[in-house]
């Protein structure tokens, strides 16, 4: 039996960052086990016929000095900084993102309903403890914005109504202009840029995988093709590829519900896994030949008639993501969508109708990806279940990290930072 001080499960960005920082601190008696033959998890890239695709858009939103420093150290000159070019296509209008700060672009009746709703919300007594995401939205933006964008878009993305969700994920993700900024935006475009993603970074070559590879080459004790199948937290052992590994500490970066089901000797944890809800995403990737289309970063599509909730232009993130005179898109559909010609036809028709592609474009190839654990759902069970579960695991020497390990909604930068935090806890 092999024994290590720390066993890290999962070679995505979080697992790699934990290993890298452990090594930096001088702790080299760890093992990082990754199921796949390539590390990176959701930050992997797919290379085909001169195109680079990620697993849906994977853009670097760097908000902390250390996050920026680490990424710059890893990617050096291979890093582009880009301005966001994002819109919402709804009600036959093209509204700049974020919707709530660009009411000028809406048809007059929808615009008026948004202004009226906000004025009414501003007069109502402040709701300091919104019970759910619907109440939070109406409090912040009024009923007009809620019905015109927040409700349809979020219902589509999360696969459930806003009243079935809490609002504790919104902080970093939903831009919150002041009421007077929203009202002013009904008359003219705002000068100010809103949101965490008004600019972002992206590797010049190699897609998101370039970041993963730069980190992975600094990690020595990485074992690929090594799925973890059973874990005993009491005996502190795990079965990896049929071999038993014992550890002093365990770091989990696998999706929390999947990880809990691997633990064989804590029935309470298996039950906790049943309380965690996930919203998967299906991605349709498309490579076309054809020039002359204006680049965009991504477009939100809240309307029911569109089968997808967002379309991104992969070839806009770097000129190296597609050969000359070619374009690449990723189309995100909420849930597990049967990857059938009928679904592809609906997507094509909607892309044509929006002018994202046109009939002169030559389709080169397309492929699907399925992301089973894309979004941890913030329903009424999540906060308490996650808090109790993580505390119970820590008592047994197991630390969870990353968007999926902590069962939260967070960025790649969070993965890098949580890797550092976890390494510090372990020494
Ligand atoms: C649709 C979508 C778009 C996103 N876009 C962005 C974006 O633009 N910007 C951004 O900052 N973030 C984005 N994210 C978030 C980003 O993907 C995550 O924050 C990040 O990938 C988390 O990395 P991780 O290492 O924690 O998890 P993962 O990437 O899921 O890695 C977990 C690893 O564990 C491995 N594994 C699983 N089971 C086992 C097992 N039994 N044994 C061993 N190994 C196993 C997997 O193969 C994988 O490599 C997006 C997420 C989604 C779903």
């Amino acid at each position: 039996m092999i024994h290590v001080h720390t066993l890290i499960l999962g070679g995505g960005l979080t697992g790699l960052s934990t290993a890298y920082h452990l090594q930096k601190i001088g702790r080299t008696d760890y093992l990082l086990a990754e199921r796949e033959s390539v590390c990176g998890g959701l930050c992997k890239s797919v290379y085909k016929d001169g195109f680079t695709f990620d697993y849906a858009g994977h853009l670097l939103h760097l908000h902390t000095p250390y996050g920026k420093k680490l990424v710059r150290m890893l990617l050096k000159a291979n890093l582009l900084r880009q301005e966001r070019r994002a819109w919402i296509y709804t009600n036959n209008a093209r509204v700049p993102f974020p919707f709530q700060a660009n009411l000028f672009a809406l048809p007059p009746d929808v615009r008026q309903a948004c202004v009226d709703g906000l004025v009414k919300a501003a007069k109502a007594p402040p709701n300091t403890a919104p019970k759910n995401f619907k109440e939070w939205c109406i409090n912040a933006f009024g009923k007009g914005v809620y019905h015109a964008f927040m409700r349809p878009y979020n219902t589509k993305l999360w696969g459930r109504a806003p009243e079935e969700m809490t609002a504790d994920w919104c902080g970093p993700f939903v831009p919150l202009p002041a009421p007077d900024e929203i009202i002013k935006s009904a008359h003219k475009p705002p000068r100010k840029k809103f949101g965490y993603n008004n600019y972002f970074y992206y590797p010049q070559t190699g897609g998101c995988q370039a970041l993963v590879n730069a980190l992975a080459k600094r990690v020595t004790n990485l074992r690929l093709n090594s799925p973890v199948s059973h874990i005993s937290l009491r005996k502190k052992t795990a079965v990896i590829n049929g071999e038993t590994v014992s550890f002093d500490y365990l770091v989990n970066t696998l999706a929390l519900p999947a990880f809990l089901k691997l633990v064989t000797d804590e029935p309470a944890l298996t039950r906790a896994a049943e309380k965690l809800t996930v919203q998967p995403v299906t991605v349709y990737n498309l490579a076309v030949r054809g020039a002359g289309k204006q680049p965009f970063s991504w477009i939100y599509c809240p309307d029911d008639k569109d089968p997808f909730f967002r379309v991104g232009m992969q070839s806009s993130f770097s000129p190296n993501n597609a050969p000359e005179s070619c374009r690449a898109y990723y189309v995100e559909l909420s849930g597990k969508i049967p990857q059938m010609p009928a679904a592809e036809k609906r997507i094509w028709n909607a892309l044509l109708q929006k002018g994202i592609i046109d009939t002169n474009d030559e389709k080169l190839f397309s492929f699907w990806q399925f992301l089973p654990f894309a979004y941890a759902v913030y329903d009424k069970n999540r906060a308490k279940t996650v808090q109790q579960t993580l505390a119970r695991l820590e008592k047994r020497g197991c630390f969870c990290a990353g968007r999926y390990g902590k069962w939260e909604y967070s960025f790649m930068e969070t993965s890098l930072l949580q890797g550092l935090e976890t390494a510090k806890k372990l020494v």
Side-chain angles (χ1 to χ4, degrees), residues 32-39 222-227 241:
L32 168 48
E34 164 55 47
R35 176 179 63 184
E36 309 279 324
S37 58
V38 179
C39 48
L222 164 65
R223 251 205 224 172
L224 297 172
N225 301 305
S226 298
N241 250 345

Side-chain angles (χ1 to χ4, degrees), residues 231 252-263 266 268-279 372-377 382 385-386 389-390 393 400 402-408:
I231 297 156
N252 168 54
T253 73
L254 276 45
L256 191 57
F259 166 77
L260 295 176
K261 286 181 184 166
L262 298 179
V263 177
E266 291 267 0
L269 293 178
T270 319
R271 288 195 296 277
E274 305 298 334
K275 291 192 189 158
L276 299 173
T277 312
V278 63
Q279 185 60 16
F373 291 106
Y375 289 92
V377 175
R382 185 200 153 277
T385 309
V386 170
T389 304
L390 298 190
L393 288 170
C400 290
R403 168 162 164 153
Y404 300 103
K406 284 192 185 279
W407 205 240
E408 63 183 21

